[in-house]
Amino acid sequence: MAKEKENVTINDLIDKLKSYLKDQNQLNDIKKAYDFADLKHKGQFRKTGEAYINHPLHVAIILTTIYADSETIQAALLHDVLEDTDCTIDEMTDMFGSEVTKLVQGVTKLSKINFSTENEYLIDYYKKIIVGISEDVRVIIVKLADRLHNMRTLWALPAEKQKIKAKESLEILAPIAHHLGIHKIKSELEDLSLRYLKPDVFYDIAEKLNITKIERDKTVYEMMQEVTNLLTEHNIVHEIKGRSKSIYSIYNKLDKGKKFSDIYDLLALRILVNTEQECYLALGIIHSKFRPLPKRFKDYIAMPKPNMYQSLHTTVFGLDGYLFEIQIRTYAMDEVAENGIASHWAYKENKDAKANMQSTTEQKLQFFKTIMDLNNDKMSSEEFVHSVKDEVLNNNIYVFTPKGDIIELPKGATPIDFAYKIHTKVGETTVGAIVNNSIVPLNYELKDNDIVKINTNKNSAPSKEWLNIATTTQTKNKIKSYFSKNERELYIEKGKYMLEKELRKRKLVFSDFLTDANIKTIEQAIKADSLEDIYLSIGNGKNSPNGVINIIVKDKDIPIPKVVKIAPKNIDADIIVSGIDKVKVNLANCCNPVFGDDIVGYITKGNGISVHRRNCHNIMMLENRTVPVMWNQNSKLDKRYLSLLIIYSNIPDNKMPDIVQKTSVLNISIDSIKIVSKTNEVVYELGVYLKDLKQLEHLMLELNKQQYIYKLERLMR
Ligand code: MN
């Protein structure tokens, strides 16, 4: 890995493409993309001193090694044009169509992600990018090739930046390549990262490999001859390769405490055959001659890895007692093992590689499903990005169900995490766990290759203690949501009880009162979605049982009084009461009308007139004592009106500072703010002083724009 300036040209790229792209139109499109990028980057140089165009050209060439399609190659050539030149999205769309442009836009956005940030606005943005990008997996593949070339030329950057880039490549990009099964890119990214992060270790291993190379090569060659003769004797057509382990994978084993001389898979062979049956046949033949090392045999054909990898693995005592790790697989499996999701490109007959890649990604890659699940869960953006980084991409273990399905979990996961990953219902009814045929406590730390069986009992329920046992954010959220759902049920029960009690007091029959029609009317009046919701709103105190009863039980014969307009000239009050000049007027504090609301007056016993909003359920049954009132548009009083808002947020964080800020910028003064309920949703009550309804509507509009707010309403008691 010298500081070579590999000078490549568009012709090198075209030569490589011609080996698998036969369509001249596609080659022309690619040439056009190159010319455009070349023009746009003219006069720009990389830190390495080369003309900038060399970078996208190299990225495109990397992608030819996995047989990327024409659109992807075009996007690779154009990938820095939107970011670094004056080219606009429209211009690019005109030239190359929306498909290519979308890919370039995706790569541009992805480049902006910095996983180590703490800023919540950025994190929110990242979440959108991660989820958005999932629409076309080719975006990620271009990004991986882009990073790979940047890592190859990392020597040109200052030491500090080298470390940052290398760390990010190792923690984010290489794991993504691994999960997508793109082994070639993953492995090179890892080796390059190690070289910059731990140069001593890297060069130490490289040197040791070098010293032992001649001896190893000789041993491997002899073993290859033996095995190939053996298989030929049994008429198995095959290809056999010696293979070298990557420096990073050796480092990993040394890091786990192994000695260099003990890493037996330094000697490794790969056998390729035509059919799955021949894989097992070859395995049997090899085992009959070379004794296998116990417990080292793995059948990833019957049980593919979560990134679709398939192969047989065995370790045998070979010639002169050397241990050999042998992989046996078909050519097709080899293609997937090397290129993963990108292997769809390799099959020429595969007309719609793009669609197949996307559907394989969505259906077969467990990490992808997990990310999408996380997105559907109600978790904050911080939790989401943290989970993706620490729990999905890194430090995974692989365990088995009793049926042999492989489940991917973060390191440190317990049987509780496993149970919830299988299904929420399994999680919630877990009573015990059996790992490798032994009963283990629920806080047992699962290890690679454990076989895990969960015992359930349908009458059992989660325990709050599990919140300490679960390790993934997803499991914890599921447990929390179980408990808050339970609290909801308690409120519903309480609300039902309160309503029944009040009906008895007023001598009303429960079943007469709750007819379907009446339920509908109440639902509309208090904006509830179901009978349960009505009970809930009584149980949690949002509505009084009497208020709800009053919606239905009222004198139906009294017509709604008409508003009589009178000249308001001489009146300085803000509310005009029909036909009366001077009377004591109060604003009702059950519904807190503000200037501009549709209002109605209620004649109290001895305390003047109280003014309610017309839809206030407290006056609905009292129409015979109401009197029309109206706002005095000419009022000279510069009065402020108290309004109470109920704000529902579906994320657990305290959003009070944000609500206060959003309100204050509108020049609205705040009377009070408090949290009135906190389960898996947080409910705030905000009291504000307003000029009029217009200002209130403006505030509600502004608050409704906030992502964390999913419902907003005026309080009515
Ligand atoms: Mn780039």
Side-chain angles (χ1 to χ4, degrees), residues 325-348:
E325 194 196 71
I326 301 180
Q327 299 176 343
I328 307 168
R329 57 202 189 210
T330 65
Y331 288 96
M333 291 171 193
D334 192 51
E335 185 61 51
V336 175
E338 288 297 314
N339 294 340
I341 190 69
S343 61
H344 281 283
W345 275 322
Y347 299 110
K348 308 277 179 335

Short mmCIF file of all heavy atoms in Angstrom, two decimals, residues 325-348:
data_model
loop_
_atom_site.label_atom_id
_atom_site.label_comp_id
_atom_site.label_asym_id
_atom_site.label_seq_id
_atom_site.Cartn_x
_atom_site.Cartn_y
_atom_site.Cartn_z
N GLU A 325 -8.59 -24.98 7.97
CA GLU A 325 -10.00 -24.61 7.92
C GLU A 325 -10.46 -24.72 6.47
O GLU A 325 -9.86 -24.13 5.57
CB GLU A 325 -10.22 -23.19 8.42
CG GLU A 325 -11.69 -22.93 8.69
CD GLU A 325 -12.01 -21.45 8.81
OE1 GLU A 325 -11.97 -20.73 7.81
OE2 GLU A 325 -12.32 -21.04 9.94
N ILE A 326 -11.49 -25.49 6.24
CA ILE A 326 -11.95 -25.71 4.88
C ILE A 326 -13.38 -25.21 4.71
O ILE A 326 -14.25 -25.50 5.54
CB ILE A 326 -11.89 -27.22 4.52
CG1 ILE A 326 -10.43 -27.70 4.66
CG2 ILE A 326 -12.42 -27.47 3.11
CD1 ILE A 326 -10.24 -29.17 4.35
N GLN A 327 -13.60 -24.43 3.67
CA GLN A 327 -14.95 -23.98 3.33
C GLN A 327 -15.38 -24.69 2.06
O GLN A 327 -14.61 -24.76 1.11
CB GLN A 327 -14.98 -22.46 3.08
CG GLN A 327 -14.56 -21.64 4.28
CD GLN A 327 -14.50 -20.16 3.95
OE1 GLN A 327 -14.45 -19.78 2.77
NE2 GLN A 327 -14.48 -19.33 4.98
N ILE A 328 -16.59 -25.21 2.06
CA ILE A 328 -17.11 -25.88 0.86
C ILE A 328 -18.43 -25.23 0.48
O ILE A 328 -19.32 -25.12 1.32
CB ILE A 328 -17.34 -27.39 1.13
CG1 ILE A 328 -16.07 -28.02 1.71
CG2 ILE A 328 -17.77 -28.10 -0.15
CD1 ILE A 328 -16.29 -29.42 2.27
N ARG A 329 -18.53 -24.78 -0.77
CA ARG A 329 -19.79 -24.18 -1.20
C ARG A 329 -19.92 -24.23 -2.72
O ARG A 329 -18.97 -24.52 -3.43
CB ARG A 329 -19.91 -22.75 -0.70
CG ARG A 329 -18.79 -21.81 -1.11
CD ARG A 329 -18.76 -20.67 -0.11
NE ARG A 329 -17.91 -19.58 -0.44
CZ ARG A 329 -17.30 -18.81 0.49
NH1 ARG A 329 -17.46 -19.08 1.76
NH2 ARG A 329 -16.56 -17.81 0.13
N THR A 330 -21.14 -23.92 -3.21
CA THR A 330 -21.35 -23.90 -4.65
C THR A 330 -20.87 -22.55 -5.20
O THR A 330 -20.65 -21.61 -4.45
CB THR A 330 -22.84 -24.05 -4.99
OG1 THR A 330 -23.53 -22.90 -4.49
CG2 THR A 330 -23.45 -25.30 -4.38
N TYR A 331 -20.78 -22.46 -6.52
CA TYR A 331 -20.37 -21.20 -7.15
C TYR A 331 -21.36 -20.08 -6.82
O TYR A 331 -20.97 -18.94 -6.58
CB TYR A 331 -20.25 -21.37 -8.67
CG TYR A 331 -19.05 -22.20 -9.07
CD1 TYR A 331 -19.17 -23.56 -9.32
CD2 TYR A 331 -17.79 -21.60 -9.17
CE1 TYR A 331 -18.07 -24.33 -9.67
CE2 TYR A 331 -16.69 -22.36 -9.52
CZ TYR A 331 -16.82 -23.72 -9.76
OH TYR A 331 -15.73 -24.47 -10.10
N ALA A 332 -22.65 -20.46 -6.84
CA ALA A 332 -23.67 -19.44 -6.57
C ALA A 332 -23.53 -18.93 -5.13
O ALA A 332 -23.62 -17.73 -4.86
CB ALA A 332 -25.07 -20.01 -6.79
N MET A 333 -23.30 -19.87 -4.21
CA MET A 333 -23.12 -19.46 -2.81
C MET A 333 -21.88 -18.58 -2.66
O MET A 333 -21.86 -17.65 -1.85
CB MET A 333 -22.97 -20.68 -1.90
CG MET A 333 -24.22 -21.51 -1.75
SD MET A 333 -23.84 -23.06 -0.88
CE MET A 333 -25.35 -23.98 -1.17
N ASP A 334 -20.88 -18.89 -3.45
CA ASP A 334 -19.64 -18.12 -3.38
C ASP A 334 -19.88 -16.68 -3.82
O ASP A 334 -19.36 -15.73 -3.24
CB ASP A 334 -18.57 -18.78 -4.25
CG ASP A 334 -17.19 -18.18 -3.98
OD1 ASP A 334 -16.81 -18.13 -2.79
OD2 ASP A 334 -16.52 -17.77 -4.93
N GLU A 335 -20.68 -16.55 -4.86
CA GLU A 335 -21.03 -15.21 -5.36
C GLU A 335 -21.69 -14.39 -4.24
O GLU A 335 -21.35 -13.23 -4.01
CB GLU A 335 -21.97 -15.37 -6.56
CG GLU A 335 -22.34 -14.10 -7.27
CD GLU A 335 -21.14 -13.38 -7.87
OE1 GLU A 335 -20.36 -14.02 -8.59
OE2 GLU A 335 -21.00 -12.17 -7.59
N VAL A 336 -22.64 -15.03 -3.54
CA VAL A 336 -23.33 -14.34 -2.44
C VAL A 336 -22.36 -14.06 -1.29
O VAL A 336 -22.40 -13.01 -0.65
CB VAL A 336 -24.54 -15.16 -1.94
CG1 VAL A 336 -25.18 -14.51 -0.74
CG2 VAL A 336 -25.56 -15.33 -3.07
N ALA A 337 -21.46 -15.03 -1.02
CA ALA A 337 -20.51 -14.86 0.08
C ALA A 337 -19.58 -13.68 -0.18
O ALA A 337 -19.20 -12.97 0.74
CB ALA A 337 -19.69 -16.14 0.27
N GLU A 338 -19.23 -13.47 -1.43
CA GLU A 338 -18.31 -12.38 -1.75
C GLU A 338 -19.03 -11.04 -1.92
O GLU A 338 -18.56 -10.01 -1.47
CB GLU A 338 -17.57 -12.69 -3.07
CG GLU A 338 -16.53 -13.79 -2.94
CD GLU A 338 -15.41 -13.41 -1.98
OE1 GLU A 338 -14.90 -12.28 -2.07
OE2 GLU A 338 -15.05 -14.26 -1.14
N ASN A 339 -20.18 -11.07 -2.61
CA ASN A 339 -20.83 -9.81 -2.99
C ASN A 339 -22.15 -9.54 -2.29
O ASN A 339 -22.72 -8.46 -2.44
CB ASN A 339 -21.05 -9.77 -4.50
CG ASN A 339 -19.73 -9.73 -5.24
OD1 ASN A 339 -18.70 -9.37 -4.67
ND2 ASN A 339 -19.76 -10.13 -6.49
N GLY A 340 -22.67 -10.51 -1.56
CA GLY A 340 -23.90 -10.30 -0.79
C GLY A 340 -25.03 -9.78 -1.63
O GLY A 340 -25.35 -10.31 -2.69
N ILE A 341 -25.62 -8.69 -1.15
CA ILE A 341 -26.79 -8.13 -1.84
C ILE A 341 -26.45 -7.77 -3.28
O ILE A 341 -27.28 -7.86 -4.18
CB ILE A 341 -27.31 -6.90 -1.05
CG1 ILE A 341 -28.65 -6.44 -1.58
CG2 ILE A 341 -26.33 -5.73 -1.04
CD1 ILE A 341 -29.76 -7.39 -1.32
N ALA A 342 -25.19 -7.39 -3.52
CA ALA A 342 -24.80 -6.98 -4.87
C ALA A 342 -24.72 -8.16 -5.83
O ALA A 342 -24.57 -7.98 -7.04
CB ALA A 342 -23.46 -6.24 -4.82
N SER A 343 -24.82 -9.39 -5.31
CA SER A 343 -24.70 -10.55 -6.21
C SER A 343 -25.86 -10.62 -7.20
O SER A 343 -25.77 -11.30 -8.21
CB SER A 343 -24.63 -11.85 -5.39
OG SER A 343 -25.79 -12.00 -4.62
N HIS A 344 -26.94 -9.89 -6.90
CA HIS A 344 -28.04 -9.85 -7.87
C HIS A 344 -27.58 -9.30 -9.22
O HIS A 344 -28.11 -9.63 -10.26
CB HIS A 344 -29.18 -8.97 -7.36
CG HIS A 344 -30.03 -9.65 -6.35
ND1 HIS A 344 -30.98 -10.58 -6.68
CD2 HIS A 344 -30.07 -9.56 -5.01
CE1 HIS A 344 -31.58 -11.03 -5.60
NE2 HIS A 344 -31.04 -10.42 -4.56
N TRP A 345 -26.58 -8.43 -9.17
CA TRP A 345 -26.08 -7.84 -10.41
C TRP A 345 -25.34 -8.87 -11.27
O TRP A 345 -25.26 -8.75 -12.47
CB TRP A 345 -25.11 -6.69 -10.09
CG TRP A 345 -25.78 -5.39 -9.85
CD1 TRP A 345 -26.87 -4.89 -10.49
CD2 TRP A 345 -25.37 -4.38 -8.90
NE1 TRP A 345 -27.17 -3.65 -10.00
CE2 TRP A 345 -26.27 -3.31 -9.03
CE3 TRP A 345 -24.34 -4.29 -7.96
CZ2 TRP A 345 -26.17 -2.16 -8.25
CZ3 TRP A 345 -24.24 -3.14 -7.21
CH2 TRP A 345 -25.15 -2.09 -7.34
N ALA A 346 -24.77 -9.87 -10.59
CA ALA A 346 -23.89 -10.79 -11.30
C ALA A 346 -24.65 -11.72 -12.23
O ALA A 346 -24.10 -12.24 -13.20
CB ALA A 346 -23.07 -11.59 -10.31
N TYR A 347 -25.95 -11.95 -11.92
CA TYR A 347 -26.69 -12.87 -12.76
C TYR A 347 -27.26 -12.15 -13.95
O TYR A 347 -28.15 -11.32 -13.84
CB TYR A 347 -27.79 -13.55 -11.95
CG TYR A 347 -27.21 -14.34 -10.81
CD1 TYR A 347 -27.38 -13.94 -9.49
CD2 TYR A 347 -26.43 -15.48 -11.06
CE1 TYR A 347 -26.80 -14.64 -8.46
CE2 TYR A 347 -25.86 -16.19 -10.03
CZ TYR A 347 -26.05 -15.76 -8.73
OH TYR A 347 -25.48 -16.45 -7.72
N LYS A 348 -26.70 -12.43 -15.11
CA LYS A 348 -27.04 -11.69 -16.31
C LYS A 348 -28.52 -11.82 -16.66
O LYS A 348 -29.15 -10.90 -17.13
CB LYS A 348 -26.22 -12.20 -17.51
CG LYS A 348 -24.74 -12.25 -17.25
CD LYS A 348 -24.10 -10.90 -17.46
CE LYS A 348 -22.62 -10.86 -17.20
NZ LYS A 348 -22.07 -11.85 -16.31
#
